[in-house]
Amino acid sequence: MEQQFEPKPRPEIQAGIYPTEVIRDVAESVGITGLTDSVATGLAGDVEYRITLVIEEANKFMKHSKRSTLLPCDIENALKVLNIEPLYSPHPASSVPTYRRVPTSAGPVFALEDKEIDFEKALREPLPRLSKGPSYTAHWLAIEGVQPLIPQNPAPVDAAPIHQLAPAQPALNNNSSNPNPSSSTTIHPPVKHLLSHELQLYYIRLTSALLSPASNASEARQAALASLRGDPGLGGLVPYLVRFAAEKVSTNLSNVDIVDAMLGVVHSLIENQTLFIEPYLHQILPLLLTTLLTSSYPAPPNQHALWLRQKSASLISRLLHEYGSSYPTLSGRVAKTLLSALKGDQHSVGEIASRDVGTRMGSLLGLMAVGKHTAIRALIHDSGIKGISELTESLDQDARLQVVDTVVEVLIQVLPESKAAKVDSKHIENLCAQVCGSIITSHVFLKKPELASSIVSTLEDEKFVE
């Protein structure tokens, strides 16, 4: 006898939170009547599931937006993710969508209002300007912690001298001293180069020793220069010392003692291997050219003034040798300035210096420091020595002797040895007189006759090159 099993009854659908009355009202609004309780309960549960799904997705948008409040935009984003037509939540006045009624055969249809463009008006309007393409440039943002005064960097707040800046102040103000807590915001000024208290004391004592009176100047100055030449950790003082030397030279050119001290400062800075002076060449070279070509020194035969010019030329030669490879145009620019001074160009060196024999001697020494080839071209081929010889005619015997001896020493160092055997020929003497002038030619034949042959052979080589 077979046993018959009756099918199990389906479990009743449990009602959720969403009310079934709303389902019946919606069904009646679309013409569905007689909706049973089980169907209404099932539809209410499905609606509740869909609403929960939308809220969970909206919750994700809220959390990713770092908010704790659910906004209408989160609901719209969730509907878009679930591929459901989004509802139109409140929008700003500028973004409220507008519609226009479009009549069709099936009835009116409402579509979004598109902005109409008048082609004639659009064609008459001028084309917008093209934006400039990207460009790049290089500048010194900071040099050893110091921002240079260039247009790309912020300007300093105060106009105090750069070597009198106060020590660094605390970054934040004390809020307890401010009676109004709401206005306690601190405005930080642009970065300035501030010296520590120890470096400020060192700077004051160093400058005092360099400018000390003549009674004890020698010992104090030598000690200061020795310290500057060998002490490490003075990188922060380099810009201040360079500016100090430039200011003192420009205001005390007639005082050879102070100029001597400032040249010692520059020499010590170059000698100190722990210092980085390359960024300050644009300040050091004008200082050295000024001390080399100035007409404010005592007139010849002052030995101290001649020694200052020789020292300046030596420092220029060292800087060109060390940094000429990094700056290929440096030697040419210095040589151009020296050539203008040798020719007596008033526009370059001034009216007084153009007639000063000391300036011509300085340019002579400077050209020798630039290079032998440059000096030979300027002195022999361009007859630079002849201009010096003409200026010596108005000098007394001692001054003339110093100038001529300096010219002869330079010629001995820059000219190659001559292969000519005859040095007393009339032809050689005439050519030397044309190039060097009568005074220097007579002095050459008197003290160093073989130098005349070197001058003539060099002159012939230059003519051959031309």
Side-chain angles (χ1 to χ4, degrees), residues 220-247:
R221 184 175 298 173
Q222 293 303 322
L225 294 177
S227 175
L228 188 60
R229 187 164 47 248
D231 288 351
L234 301 179
L237 278 178
V238 174
Y240 303 101
L241 291 173
V242 170
R243 181 168 180 173
F244 169 76
E247 289 178 352

Side-chain angles (χ1 to χ4, degrees), residues 311-333:
K311 187 174 182 180
S312 300
S314 175
L315 293 175
I316 291 175
S317 175
R318 181 166 180 176
L319 290 177
L320 294 180
H321 176 73
E322 292 184 5
Y323 302 105
S325 58
S326 301
Y327 303 95
T329 61
L330 189 61
S331 298
R333 293 163 63 184

Side-chain angles (χ1 to χ4, degrees), residues 267-425:
H267 182 254
S268 299
L269 292 176
I270 297 174
E271 286 288 333
N272 195 329
Q273 299 298 322
T274 63
L275 300 181
F276 182 52
I277 65 168
E278 183 176 351
Y280 311 102
L281 290 178
H282 67 287
Q283 294 175 294
I284 295 177
L285 281 174
L287 183 155
L288 295 178
L289 289 173
T290 301
T291 57
L292 178 68
L293 303 177
T294 182
S295 59
S296 301
Y297 291 158
N302 190 283
Q303 292 293 334
H304 198 176
L306 178 61
W307 184 83
L308 290 178
R309 297 187 195 274
Q310 292 173 341
K311 187 174 182 180
S312 300
S314 175
L315 293 175
I316 291 175
S317 175
R318 181 166 180 176
L319 290 177
L320 294 180
H321 176 73
E322 292 184 5
Y323 302 105
S325 58
S326 301
Y327 303 95
T329 61
L330 189 61
S331 298
R333 293 163 63 184
V334 172
K336 184 178 180 181
T337 303
L338 296 173
L339 286 172
S340 299
L342 184 64
K343 295 177 181 179
D345 187 5
Q346 296 184 8
H347 180 70
S348 300
V349 297
E351 183 179 355
I352 298 177
S354 64
R355 301 190 304 269
D356 183 66
V357 68
T359 301
R360 301 288 182 95
M361 290 172 59
S363 62
L364 185 75
L365 297 170
L367 288 169
M368 181 182 65
V370 171
K372 291 184 178 181
H373 182 72
T374 304
I376 290 173
R377 295 283 297 181
L379 301 179
I380 305 300
H381 183 69
D382 295 339
S383 301
I385 302 179
K386 190 172 184 180
I388 300 176
S389 179
E390 293 173 354
L391 289 176
T392 57
E393 294 177 359
S394 60
L395 301 178
D396 56 18
Q397 184 66 25
D398 294 337
R400 184 183 304 171
L401 185 62
Q402 186 188 57
V403 173
V404 173
D405 286 341
T406 304
V407 173
V408 171
E409 290 177 5
V410 171
L411 291 176
I412 291 173
Q413 295 187 36
V414 300
L415 290 178
E417 294 184 1
S418 175
K419 298 179 182 179
K422 297 181 180 181
V423 296
D424 54 349
S425 167

